[in-house]
């Protein structure tokens, strides 16, 4: 694929990265539609997490009462509390408005659930997937060169559960967070290369949206704080220099982030009486900090990350080697991932039930693209035959991932889901 895109560019066609982004957009939108066409009329109202993220938008149309949205936890005060923040809904909003206009012009129900809203659901997820991959290309190109920078996002898309959660389950938060994580990486590198007011403004807003989608994602802000410097204090000094050099961009970015959070705080205040709420605590769910399932998160048949996404085992090997050797930025990426690993391993539902593989790390693929790309660079530098030989296992991983995505049927979890049943699924992979 990378060679085809390069040949397009040599023939005067659009730049290869834009061809890649357009192809990923079309493939993702089309695959998502085909994968969900059997329940298109009900997919937006399916009682699960995607409805929890989305339900705020139909609320804007008056379809639901704010005090009792449909996918909520009922409190003692008689109101329903959404477990989810509004970040995903904010990112879906432009496509939601387009769908509302389409429905109104076409004489269809403008309730957030008619056919146009389902179609724009796929379009929005495809847009953010393609945009995230495009940002990754621009972030990786100075580090590893153009061919590997093109190949790495495609490999992440095809060989990991990022594919599943941008097509089969586009309503989950992961493809949106992946786009924002890629934005954090790209914008931080731009600021390190050439600080500008516009880039700083976007970086602040991007960081705010990362947290608004999921509070756990606050650890990702370590990347824009410390990337590009081996000494933390030196990194912080550089960041303070950015803020001092561009006070208006800083103030504007902070103001936009504050405005984005205001509806969330107002919603929590309206439902619970408190301005800030740990929503899962209202259900009695929480973390077991002294008993983390660290190995289970990686290798359990219950959504073990390496078991369902083996490409990440190779990526983590490259990351650990790079961190040990002191390669630039590797230790920072490892620290951020290790924090996420420990937090997810400490969560009461460490396997993140009802998922295809361990989905908690999907947004982190944007950061893990660095060791993956560096590993590919090392292999390809060994010579043409090493490069050609590497294609075989990589393409095999893509094939396995896409087949497992198609074969997935909830629930691949629970006491009845064991190694024997997983092996039975693996045996069906070669079937066409």
């Amino acid at each position: 694929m990378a060679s085809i895109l390069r040949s397009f560019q040599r023939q005067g066609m659009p730049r290869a990265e834009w061809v890649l982004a357009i192809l990923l957009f079309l493939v993702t939108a089309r695959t998502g539609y085909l994968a969900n066409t059997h329940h298109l009329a009900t997919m937006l109202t399916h009682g699960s997490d995607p409805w929890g993220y989305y339900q705020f938008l139909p609320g804007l149309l008056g379809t639901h009462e704010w005090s009792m949205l449909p996918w909520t936890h009922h409190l003692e005060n008689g109101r329903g509390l959404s477990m989810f923040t509004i970040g995903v809904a904010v990112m879906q909003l432009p496509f939601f408005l387009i769908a509302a206009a389409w429905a109104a012009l076409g004489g269809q129900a403008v309730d957030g659930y008619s056919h146009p809203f389902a179609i724009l659901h796929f379009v929005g997820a495809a847009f953010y997937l393609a945009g995230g991959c495009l940002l990754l290309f621009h972030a990786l190109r100075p580090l590893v060169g153009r061919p590997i920078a093109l190949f790495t996002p495609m490999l992440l898309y095809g060989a990991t559960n990022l594919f599943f959660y941008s097509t089969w389950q586009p309503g989950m938060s992961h493809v949106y967070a992946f786009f924002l994580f890629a934005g954090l990486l790209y914008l931080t590198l731009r600021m390190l290369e050439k600080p500008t007011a516009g880039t700083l403004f976007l970086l602040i807003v991007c960081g705010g949206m990362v947290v608004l989608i999921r509070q756990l994602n606050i650890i990702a802000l370590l990347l824009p704080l410390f990337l590009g410097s081996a000494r933390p204090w030196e990194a912080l000094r550089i960041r303070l220099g950015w803020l001092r050099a561009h006070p208006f961009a800083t103030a504007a970015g902070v103001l936009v982030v504050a405005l984005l959070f205001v509806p969330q705080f107002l919603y929590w205040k309206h439902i619970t009486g408190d301005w800030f709420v740990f929503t899962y605590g209202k259900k009695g769910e929480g973390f077991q900090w002294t008993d983390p399932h660290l190995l289970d998160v990686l290798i359990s048949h219950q959504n073990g990350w390496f078991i369902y996404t083996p490409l990440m085992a190779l990526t983590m090997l490259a990351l650990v080697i790079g961190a040990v050797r002191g390669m630039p930025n590797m230790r920072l990426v490892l620290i951020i991932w290790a924090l996420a690993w420990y937090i997810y391993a400490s969560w009461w539902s460490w396997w993140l039930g009802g998922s295809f593989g361990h989905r908690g790390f999907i947004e982190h693929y944007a950061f893990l693209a660095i060791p993956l790309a560096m590993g590919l660079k090392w292999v390809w530098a060994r010579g043409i035959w090493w490069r050609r030989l590497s294609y075989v296992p990589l393409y095999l991983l893509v094939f396995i991932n896409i087949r497992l995505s198609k074969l997935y049927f909830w629930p691949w979890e629970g006491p009845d889901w064991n190694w024997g049943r997983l092996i039975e699924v693996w045996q069906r992979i070669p079937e066409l």
Side-chain angles (χ1 to χ4, degrees), residues 345-360:
S346 300
W347 183 239
W348 74 273
S349 178
W350 53 264
W351 63 97
L352 300 182
S355 67
F356 172 59
H358 202 285
R359 54 186 171 84

Side-chain angles (χ1 to χ4, degrees), residues 126-292:
F127 173 84
Y128 287 115
L129 181 280
C133 289
L134 186 61
L135 290 170
L136 269 189
F137 164 79
H138 287 293
L140 294 173
R141 184 180 58 180
L143 304 177
V144 295
R146 194 176 192 85
I148 295 177
L150 283 169
F151 188 74
T152 301
M154 289 190 293
L155 187 59
L156 282 173
Y157 175 67
T160 72
N161 47 355
L162 175 61
F163 172 77
F164 181 85
Y165 283 101
S166 55
T167 52
W168 264 263
Q169 286 284 340
M172 294 293 281
S173 67
H174 304 294
V175 69
Y176 304 95
F178 169 78
F179 170 82
L180 293 171
F181 274 50
L184 282 181
L185 177 61
Y186 169 70
L187 293 169
T188 303
L189 290 172
R190 283 289 301 273
M191 285 297 294
L192 291 170
E193 178 185 359
K194 185 180 179 181
T196 66
T199 304
L200 179 60
F201 170 79
L202 292 174
L203 181 59
I204 294 172
V205 174
C206 185
M209 282 300 305
V210 160
V211 180
L212 187 57
I213 279 187
R214 180 177 292 180
Q215 290 88 344
L216 167 60
N217 288 342
I218 195 171
I219 61 176
L221 301 186
L222 293 173
L223 185 122
L225 284 176
F226 297 109
L227 189 74
S229 180
R231 298 179 179 179
W233 291 114
E234 177 66 17
L236 293 176
R237 185 190 66 81
I238 293 172
R239 272 59 176 180
L240 287 174
W242 295 348
L243 303 181
R244 290 168 180 165
H246 305 290
F248 294 108
T250 301
V254 171
L255 177 61
V256 169
V257 170
L259 292 175
L260 289 170
F261 272 81
V262 164
Q264 183 64 67
F265 294 141
L266 289 175
Y267 171 75
W268 280 335
K269 181 67 174 177
H270 174 66
I271 299 299
T272 70
D274 298 319
W275 289 105
F276 184 81
V277 180
F278 174 54
T279 56
Y280 287 97
K282 297 292 185 179
K283 295 174 63 177
E285 300 174 354
F287 297 91
Q288 301 167 354
W289 299 113
T290 60
D291 187 27

